[in-house]
Amino acid sequence: MLTAFAILLGVTALLAYVNERFLHFPTTVGVTLAGALASILMIAVAALGFPDARDWMSGVLRTLNFTDFVLNGILSVLLFAGALGLDSRQLLRQRTSILTLAFFSTLISTFLIGFAAHFVFGLVGLDVPLMWSLLFGALISPTDPVAVLDLLQRAKVPKKIETLIAGESLFNDGVGVVIFLALAGVAGLGQHGAQEAVTAGSVLALFAQEALGGLLFGAALGAVGYAMIRTITAYEVEILITLALVVAGYVTAAALGLSGPLAMVVAALVMSAVKTATFTEATFHHVEVFWETLDKVLNILLFTFIGLDVLLTETTLAQITASVLLIGVALAARWISVALPFGFLRRREGYSEYTVRLLTWGGLRGGIAISLALGLPETPYRTHVVTVTYAIVLFTIAVQGLTIMPLVHRAAAATRQLDGDA
């Protein structure tokens, strides 16, 4: 495991250097594309009769296990770090729009994509049951704007837009996982297998336990962190306490059957809200720099892994056809799931007409989608779901991530104009 991680770290550093030195893409986009290109080259070399390089790298990736690396590894850190960097007061002011998007848009998108995917899979001759198509809808609906947040910060967009996109993503990651687990239980893929009696009540109970329990547990973690840190001034101990809260808290939430992702987001928001009463200005600077750096390094690692994992994905013509069709479906579902609730929110909250377009095109998919897909049990349908998931993730990162800046500038200008008129 340590050798495999060392190899991933070395490859990531090399790809990040090449991107920073020559390509100048946003780092997460650049390392994903470079990793995918490296995978394709290894596949081509293997097809020419030299399989050693591909077999060696495939062994490294299987040793690390993408699902464990993300869901049981770095996800807790990424979510906590992302939420800690948000302005909690600004997020509180936008809570209605953020929570509406996180819950209702994710639900709407799950079922739109699920039913459409069932039709598309059948159309191209792939036999995927409806419940598996809905599971696909659940895992592909949460957005991961890590790659676009850097662009938003470089463009100096209004805090309102940055908070909306980041806040929605942080919460819908947790909501998407909860929906996925609920659907997995209905499909007989839950913790207790197919023998468990599944009713509408049990699904709602699971959703309430995971989501509400995770939110409350996260608030408790944040309160514990506040109580401990406000009595000390050593920044290295403060960093250690926050790190222990994240890692131990995430493991505890999983053991209690609560949503670890939601718990991490809320714990970080609590710490962010009370930072002036908890930290001195000097110590918070050290804590903030630590979490920002860790967040950026782990994100680069994650997106390199996404690119390299193409090496393990075997495709057929039918799967490629389904992938192309479902890329369009995912975009349409994202637009509908954002536009419907925003019809009620836009005028009241003061968002411009470009906001829905920005949320649609900026709704990148990432590590959570792939890790949930790879975590599915081995069945004849799993490879179809995994292949299409990879295709959508790579499209959103490569195409949407590289073409979003003009839309960012338009949305930022329109929002500033609205705020000025107000």
Side-chain angles (χ1 to χ4, degrees):
M1 179 68 73
L2 183 60
T3 302
F5 183 74
I7 293 169
L8 175 65
L9 197 60
V11 171
T12 299
L14 177 62
L15 296 182
Y17 170 79
V18 170
N19 177 70
E20 192 67 24
R21 181 72 175 83
F22 302 108
L23 303 179
H24 307 298
F25 292 150
T27 307
T28 48
V29 176
V31 295
T32 304
L33 293 177
L37 179 60
S39 295
I40 292 169
L41 288 174
M42 279 188 272
I43 292 171
V45 169
L48 292 174
F50 304 96
D52 290 350
R54 179 180 181 178
D55 292 345
W56 172 75
M57 197 62 196
S58 297
V60 170
L61 297 176
R62 289 193 177 96
T63 298
L64 286 171
N65 189 313
F66 193 95
T67 299
D68 284 341
F69 182 76
V70 177
L71 291 183
N72 302 325
I74 67 173
L75 180 60
S76 59
V77 175
L78 293 175
L79 292 176
F80 184 89
L84 189 67
L86 288 180
D87 183 339
S88 57
R89 290 181 175 83
Q90 178 70 28
L91 188 141
L92 191 62
R93 286 193 288 270
Q94 295 176 244
R95 62 188 180 278
T96 301
S97 51
I98 289 172
L99 292 177
T100 298
L101 287 173
F103 284 89
F104 292 105
S105 291
T106 307
L107 270 173
I108 293 169
S109 176
T110 294
F111 286 96
L112 285 177
I113 294 175
F115 284 110
H118 182 61
F119 172 78
V120 169
F121 282 132
L123 185 67
V124 299
L126 300 176
D127 181 24
V128 178
L130 177 60
M131 281 310 306
W132 273 74
S133 297
L134 290 173
L135 280 170
F136 168 71
L139 66 87
I140 206 66
S141 290
T143 58
D144 184 351
V146 169
V148 80
L149 279 179
D150 181 48
L151 297 175
L152 294 176
Q153 292 162 359
R154 290 183 193 180
K156 293 182 171 52
V157 299
K159 273 287 183 185
K160 181 187 292 186
I161 293 180
E162 186 179 337
T163 303
L164 178 68
I165 294 177
E168 184 224 355
S169 172
L170 289 167
F171 279 102
N172 77 14
D173 278 352
V175 171
V177 172
V178 172
I179 295 173
F180 178 86
L181 292 175
L183 289 171
V186 174
L189 305 176
Q191 187 176 5
H192 304 293
Q195 301 302 317
E196 184 179 4
V198 177
T199 64
S202 66
V203 172
L204 288 175
L206 173 64
F207 193 90
Q209 175 187 326
E210 287 268 350
L212 298 179
L215 294 172
L216 293 173
F217 185 67
L221 284 176
V224 170
Y226 165 71
M228 295 178 70
I229 292 174
R230 72 184 180 90
T231 60
I232 60 175
T233 57
Y235 72 85
E236 63 271 21
V237 180
E238 292 175 346
I239 290 173
L240 183 60
I241 289 171
T242 56
L243 192 58
L245 281 175
V246 171
V247 177
Y250 194 84
V251 171
T252 303
L256 295 175
L258 310 176
S259 172
L262 288 176
M264 292 304 100
V265 172
V266 174
L269 290 175
V270 171
M271 297 294 291
S272 176
V274 299
K275 63 186 177 186
T276 54
T278 307
F279 303 91
T280 66
E281 185 175 346
T283 60
F284 185 71
H285 172 72
H286 287 289
V287 174
E288 191 174 38
V289 168
F290 169 81
W291 281 103
E292 275 186 12
T293 305
L294 191 60
D295 182 36
K296 290 182 182 297
V297 170
L298 290 180
N299 272 314
I300 295 170
L301 270 173
L302 170 61
F303 280 85
T304 302
F305 207 158
I306 289 174
L308 292 173
D309 236 38
V310 172
L311 197 65
L312 304 179
T313 307
E314 298 181 5
T315 59
T316 64
L317 180 60
Q319 289 171 346
I320 293 172
T321 305
S323 297
V324 172
L325 294 173
L326 288 173
I327 286 170
V329 166
L331 273 172
R334 173 66 178 167
W335 181 82
I336 293 169
S337 67
V338 170
L340 285 178
F342 242 74
F344 301 97
L345 295 170
R346 197 185 110 193
R347 289 176 182 250
R348 195 183 77 176
E349 301 274 335
Y351 296 108
S352 75
E353 62 181 357
Y354 286 100
T355 306
V356 171
R357 302 178 206 175
L358 180 59
L359 284 166
T360 301
W361 199 246
L364 310 185
R365 274 68 169 189
I368 288 184
I370 293 175
S371 58
L372 289 174
L374 291 174
L376 290 167
E378 289 289 348
T379 68
Y381 331 116
R382 179 181 179 274
T383 182
H384 308 325
V385 171
V386 170
T387 300
V388 174
T389 300
Y390 265 115
I392 292 176
V393 168
L394 290 175
F395 177 87
T396 62
I397 294 172
V399 179
Q400 293 173 222
L402 288 176
T403 58
I404 196 170
M405 277 307 294
L407 191 54
V408 169
H409 289 305
R410 289 194 192 100
T415 300
R416 290 191 188 100
Q417 183 177 357
L418 273 178
D419 290 344
D421 294 342

